[in-house]
Amino acid sequence: MTASFTPVSRLKAEGLKAGYGERTVLDGVDFSVPEGRLTALLGPNGSGKSTLLKTLARTIVPSFGKVLLDGVDIHRHSTRDVARNLGLLPQGPEAPEGLTVRELVSLGRSPYQSFWRQNSREDETAVTEAMERTDVAQFADRSVDALSGGQRQRCWIALVLAQQTDIILLDEPTTYLDLRVQVGLLELLSSLAHDSGRTLLVVLHDLNLAAAYADELVMMRDGQILHRGTPDEVFTPSNLNQVFGLDANVIRDAESSTLVCVPRRYSSRAGEERSWGV
Ligand SMILES: Nc1ncnc2c1ncn2[C@@H]1O[C@H](COP(=O)(O)OP(=O)(O)OP(=O)(O)O)[C@@H](O)[C@H]1O
Ligand SMILES: [Mg+2]
């Protein structure tokens, strides 16, 4: 019998308490980011997904607990060291005015550059490859400001890919993308994990795409992780109800055998008022 090998997680949160000033958002979060996998972070608006990603990426300093990168507190690593190992696409990033697509994507190479070592051939190759994989090479010399929302979002993803980190954290990367492009992006992320051994933690609001592509789902609510596991383990009507307050069926697509969530219409729920619940 062969023993299954679970690689040690390079990025971990231990007893994390973090937020903004007096406002605590994450309270006692323990989490190891699964190595070489595509993990989807799910949860309602305001549940703390972006706060967790920012804390894992060293943008927010926890008030208690710590984030460990390769066993060392992430705040003890240099900025350059973190940026060579971990790339973050924040939610709703804004590009400096007037930048071309190539210039924006090239920012992903800054962790490898210095005053005396600027654009190398390796940098050029990484930038070109990242633009090709996200299908923005055709816009390379256009200004980022002059692109559509979805085209711009793909440029940001290209920037993170050009950074060539083993760990990639993406906050709602599918925003603005049409469904075909969302599927293309998830195929790409899945192949980065499964063919190149990269570790991806991705915030998604599309539960069905998450269930179809992620190896593991992590469900957050009120700053805590309530469930984590494979889609088969945690993508259940009761968990969706507990985490999102969603009344939904979960069915299995006969052809792909992936799980699909079908929300019940308000009109079919006796006596219930239409409400966004926010
Ligand atoms: N800069 C900030 N200052 C103060 N509070 C903030 C700040 N950013 C977020 N919050 C609050 O922290 C909580 C968690 O926000 P967070 O952005 O992590 O949620 P989220 O799960 O990413 O939500 P969404 O799905 O809407 O992006 C929310 O109550 C939010 O109002
Ligand atoms: Mg968010």
Side-chain angles (χ1 to χ4, degrees):
M1 202 177 91
T2 18
S4 69
F5 172 69
T6 312
V8 175
S9 174
R10 294 188 59 198
L11 187 64
K12 277 187 199 174
E14 286 182 357
L16 213 57
K17 194 166 171 177
Y20 308 89
E22 295 291 290
R23 185 187 190 113
T24 298
V25 175
L26 307 176
D27 202 355
V29 170
D30 290 301
F31 179 49
S32 300
V33 184
E35 208 59 18
R37 302 272 178 89
L38 173 53
T39 303
L41 183 55
L42 311 176
N45 292 137
S47 55
K49 304 178 299 295
S50 297
T51 307
L52 177 57
L53 243 60
K54 286 186 279 187
T55 313
L56 287 171
R58 215 181 75 142
T59 309
I60 293 179
V61 185
S63 55
F64 200 80
K66 55 192 165 189
V67 173
L68 299 170
L69 175 63
D70 294 329
V72 176
D73 188 330
I74 198 161
H75 290 274
R76 297 180 63 133
H77 286 275
S78 70
T79 304
R80 178 180 288 257
D81 193 20
V82 172
R84 285 181 176 188
N85 285 284
L86 185 158
L88 167 71
L89 171 65
Q91 185 172 2
E94 280 180 30
E97 223 171 293
L99 229 54
T100 67
V101 170
R102 189 188 301 279
E103 285 165 344
L104 178 72
V105 178
S106 299
L107 295 178
R109 298 304 297 168
S110 48
Y112 304 94
Q113 296 167 339
S114 60
F115 183 71
W116 56 90
R117 186 196 164 285
Q118 297 193 346
N119 242 356
S120 67
R121 181 171 296 217
E122 216 178 337
D123 294 330
E124 303 268 341
T125 309
V127 168
T128 306
E129 201 182 294
M131 289 195 299
E132 281 168 0
R133 292 189 96 168
T134 51
D135 203 17
V136 296
Q138 55 188 308
F139 313 123
D141 299 313
R142 272 175 62 183
S143 165
V144 177
D145 311 322
L147 297 179
S148 78
Q151 292 164 346
R152 208 174 305 144
Q153 181 72 354
R154 275 151 47 196
C155 298
W156 283 105
I157 296 164
L159 185 162
V160 178
L161 295 185
Q163 206 175 324
Q164 293 185 323
T165 55
D166 279 345
I167 304 168
I168 300 175
L169 310 180
L170 304 173
D171 200 346
E172 300 196 28
T174 54
T175 309
Y176 302 118
L177 304 183
D178 71 56
L179 187 55
R180 188 189 64 82
V181 178
Q182 291 187 41
V183 169
L185 174 64
L186 282 155
E187 294 276 348
L188 169 62
L189 301 181
S190 171
S191 99
L192 287 173
H194 303 137
D195 304 332
S196 315
R198 312 265 202 107
T199 296
L200 292 111
L201 178 63
V202 182
V203 175
L204 293 173
H205 275 300
D206 189 318
L207 303 179
N208 289 334
L209 283 179
Y213 282 96
D215 301 301
E216 187 162 324
L217 305 178
V218 175
M219 296 185 175
M220 281 190 81
R221 187 182 163 161
D222 298 332
Q224 301 202 321
I225 293 176
L226 296 192
H227 304 285
R228 61 177 293 187
T230 63
D232 272 2
E233 288 165 344
V234 298
F235 202 67
T236 61
S238 72
N239 286 351
L240 293 175
N241 188 273
Q242 183 195 15
V243 175
F244 291 94
L246 187 66
D247 183 11
N249 271 340
V250 173
I251 57 175
R252 197 178 286 281
D253 173 47
E255 194 187 315
S256 63
S257 88
T258 59
L259 295 171
V260 180
C261 146
V262 184
R264 292 208 181 89
R265 294 173 66 111
Y266 286 105
S267 56
S268 64
R269 288 157 31 179
E272 223 177 296
E273 287 293 312
R274 184 179 293 265
S275 149
W276 283 12
V278 289

